[in-house]
Amino acid sequence: MVRRSFAFAFADKTTALVLQLATMAVVSRLMTPAEVGLFMISSSLVIMIEAFRDFGVASFLIQEPKLEPELVRSAVTIIGLLSLGLGLLTFLSAGLFAAIYGDPELGGLIRLASLAFLAAPISNPLLALLRRDMNFGAVARINIAAMAANAVITMSLAFTGHGPVSFAWGALSAAFINAAGAALYRPEWWIFKPSLKHWRRVVPFGAWTSAVTLLHMLYEAMPRLLLGRILGFNAVGLFTRAVSLNQLPDRLLLNAVQPVVLPAFAAKARNHESLSPPYLLGLSMISGLQWPALLALALLADPIVRLLMGQQWMEVVPLVRILAIAMLPLVPSYLAFPLLVTLGRIKLMAIVTLVTFPIATLIVLVCAQFSLTAVAWGMLVANTVQVGAMLVAVRRHAAFNWSDFGMIAVRSGAVALCTAAFPAALVAMHGPALSVPLLAAAVIGAAACWVIGLMVVSHPLSAEITRLVETLRRFRLGSNVA
């Protein structure tokens, strides 16, 4: 069941990656870094307010051992009240944000984005119930439809010269398609009958979950918000695009893992099984996928930026290389949230994030006084501090041996170096500005070296690849017989 769920989630995120790359390639040639940066500022501000909109209801519905009808209705009522209230607050505060950043266009973008709060009370609880049931096939189909609409509308409006508002209309269409799709696949209309009978069970969980979510979003958005004030929208556009490129492995690999992890952890917890082994296995899988991808991306940054974004974005290249290194330490944090939620330790997660966030903010604030490059290197320090604190918190409640953790790092590190060997050789021979054929050769060679590295160090991912090959072989034999 879990493996099948991962397959659906992976298909979902693969489609998302393709659509994101297509949108990035088109829009980057039609808009300037400053225009992209303007939208990113509006998006960051709205997303932080959205942290309270869900109020942890999705996680609550997934991890709750037994869902009673009145409990579900109470949770959904709370999310409805918060979403509508925060949507109105966002709409009314748009002028204030525009004044802070000195650009009236920012206010219009925020007002348009606030309309998505009308769809959230429908989509969020229904999608959570689908995930609780491990129905990731339906979730994937809904997400793909929403992302396709987002991409088509964004690119169409960008082509016709609508500028940053193209992003806002695309995101808004995706929000309403998510709501319509969730209602189609899970038409549980009874959950929307208002009730606050069990608000005392929902609110404490939601408060801490919202605090964690908000702090996490602040951590991600904080460099953009500070750069917008200190270095301007052009700097925000460049930095955001560099981050987006480095998040491509996340969007393809980790975002496929995370929606499945919380239901899977919750199922094991309900069966009173230890969560330490699956946590370590998850770290091994994620590091074995992400570290090689990031090292290859750092080496191939020049041709990738040139191909996807065009000549006007070449200032992004050194930022991509530095941020790829800065993201390497983040692996242990990706599973921390679902693990601590499952163990009922969401308060600890909030405390750790609250302690590390001011440190990260100070680092970025100081670095922003110098340059974008300094900010990128500062993210390496900030990420290391955050992950160190998170690991200590996780180990308190899901005890694991540091030697096991170290072995995971050694194996995945060896695989990453093996993967990087072929692209590094090509860059050494031909220089960083590889042609498209050489870029394709570098990617294929890196993939081959990745598989070899997995086999040589007996990485857990090698067993998954062997299983996949065997499944495909049986499928092919069955097709031939038919």
Side-chain angles (χ1 to χ4, degrees):
M1 172 67 79
V2 173
R3 203 169 266 117
R4 187 166 181 265
S5 299
F6 277 131
F8 279 121
F10 184 75
D12 176 0
K13 301 310 174 183
T14 301
T15 305
L17 177 63
V18 171
L19 291 170
Q20 181 190 3
L21 289 175
T23 305
M24 181 185 294
V26 171
V27 171
S28 295
R29 286 166 170 79
L30 298 171
M31 295 188 201
T32 66
E35 288 178 312
V36 173
L38 176 62
F39 170 74
M40 291 304 173
I41 290 293
S42 70
S43 175
S44 299
L45 292 169
V46 172
I47 286 174
M48 283 191 295
I49 297 173
E50 285 180 336
F52 289 102
R53 181 192 69 189
D54 179 81
F55 204 63
V57 168
S59 298
F60 178 84
L61 293 175
I62 291 171
Q63 62 84 42
E64 186 66 19
K66 184 178 179 181
L67 285 181
E68 303 166 359
E70 286 288 341
L71 182 61
V72 175
R73 287 171 51 205
S74 297
V76 173
T77 300
I78 289 171
I79 190 177
L81 293 172
L82 282 171
S83 186
L84 296 176
L86 289 171
L88 179 61
L89 177 65
T90 304
F91 187 90
L92 296 176
S93 61
L96 174 62
F97 290 128
I100 291 173
Y101 283 90
D103 194 318
E105 191 176 357
L106 182 64
L109 291 174
I110 293 174
R111 291 186 188 95
L112 186 56
S114 70
L115 298 178
F117 284 77
L118 298 173
I122 298 173
S123 59
N124 286 21
L126 292 177
L127 287 172
L129 292 174
L130 287 170
R131 290 190 177 100
R132 178 185 173 91
D133 296 338
M134 304 291 280
N135 189 357
F136 286 93
V139 173
R141 286 186 282 273
I142 294 167
N143 286 340
I144 288 170
M147 290 180 295
N150 190 345
V152 170
I153 291 174
T154 300
M155 288 188 287
S156 299
L157 291 175
F159 264 124
T160 53
H162 285 80
V165 77
S166 308
F167 291 109
W169 278 113
L172 185 62
S173 67
F176 280 95
I177 288 175
N178 263 326
L184 178 65
Y185 278 98
R186 189 74 186 251
E188 304 279 354
W189 300 111
W190 61 268
I191 71 173
F192 298 106
K193 184 178 179 181
S195 173
L196 292 173
K197 181 177 179 180
H198 294 290
W199 69 269
R200 288 182 179 85
R201 289 178 63 182
V202 179
V203 169
F205 181 91
W208 285 111
T209 304
S210 296
V212 170
T213 305
L214 175 64
L215 288 168
H216 177 72
M217 289 178 173
L218 270 172
Y219 186 87
E220 287 195 344
M222 170 261 299
R224 295 195 290 268
L225 298 176
L226 292 178
L227 289 173
R229 286 288 297 158
I230 299 171
L231 298 176
F233 291 137
N234 190 73
V236 175
L238 294 171
F239 189 85
T240 301
R241 277 294 183 245
V243 172
S244 295
L245 284 174
N246 279 293
Q247 286 178 339
L248 292 179
D250 293 8
R251 297 186 188 283
L252 176 60
L253 306 171
L254 303 185
N255 286 4
V257 171
Q258 287 179 320
V260 183
V261 166
L262 179 55
F265 277 174
K268 285 187 173 293
R270 287 193 287 268
N271 294 328
H272 306 290
E273 299 178 39
S274 171
L275 297 184
S276 179
Y279 176 74
L280 289 176
L281 179 62
L283 290 186
S284 183
M285 299 290 192
I286 291 173
S287 58
L289 290 165
Q290 194 200 33
W291 285 357
L294 286 174
L295 283 189
L297 182 60
L299 289 164
L300 302 174
D302 188 294
I304 288 175
V305 170
R306 202 180 301 274
L307 177 65
L308 290 181
M309 302 168 63
Q311 194 66 32
Q312 68 170 329
W313 291 87
M314 293 309 292
E315 290 178 80
V316 167
V317 172
L319 298 177
V320 171
R321 292 177 178 143
I322 298 169
L323 288 172
I325 298 170
M327 291 182 71
L328 292 175
L330 285 177
V331 166
S333 67
Y334 294 124
L335 298 180
F337 178 78
L339 179 72
L340 292 176
V341 167
T342 302
L343 294 172
R345 303 292 178 178
I346 189 66
K347 182 178 178 180
L348 178 61
M349 182 85 178
I351 293 171
V352 170
T353 310
L354 189 61
V355 169
T356 57
F357 176 72
I359 299 173
T361 302
L362 180 60
I363 291 170
V364 172
L365 185 60
V366 171
C367 292
Q369 307 302 318
F370 298 96
S371 66
L372 273 177
T373 302
V375 172
W377 282 116
M379 292 306 298
L380 173 60
V381 180
N383 290 345
T384 303
V385 171
Q386 181 201 36
V387 169
M390 202 70 69
L391 268 177
V392 172
V394 167
R395 194 168 180 270
R396 284 184 59 188
H397 300 285
F400 57 83
N401 293 325
W402 286 114
S403 58
D404 293 335
F405 181 85
M407 183 57 66
I408 290 171
V410 169
R411 283 180 172 171
S412 294
V415 172
L417 292 175
C418 187
T419 303
F422 192 83
L426 285 181
V427 169
M429 289 187 291
H430 301 280
L434 299 179
S435 64
V436 173
L438 284 175
L439 173 62
V443 172
I444 294 170
C449 290
W450 175 68
V451 174
I452 293 170
L454 293 176
M455 301 301 177
V456 169
V457 303
S458 299
H459 196 281
L461 275 171
S462 62
E464 295 298 321
I465 292 176
T466 302
R467 186 179 289 108
L468 176 61
V469 170
E470 183 62 25
T471 300
L472 293 174
R473 188 183 69 83
R474 286 199 302 267
F475 179 78
R476 183 179 178 184
L477 288 175
S479 299
N480 291 338
V481 170

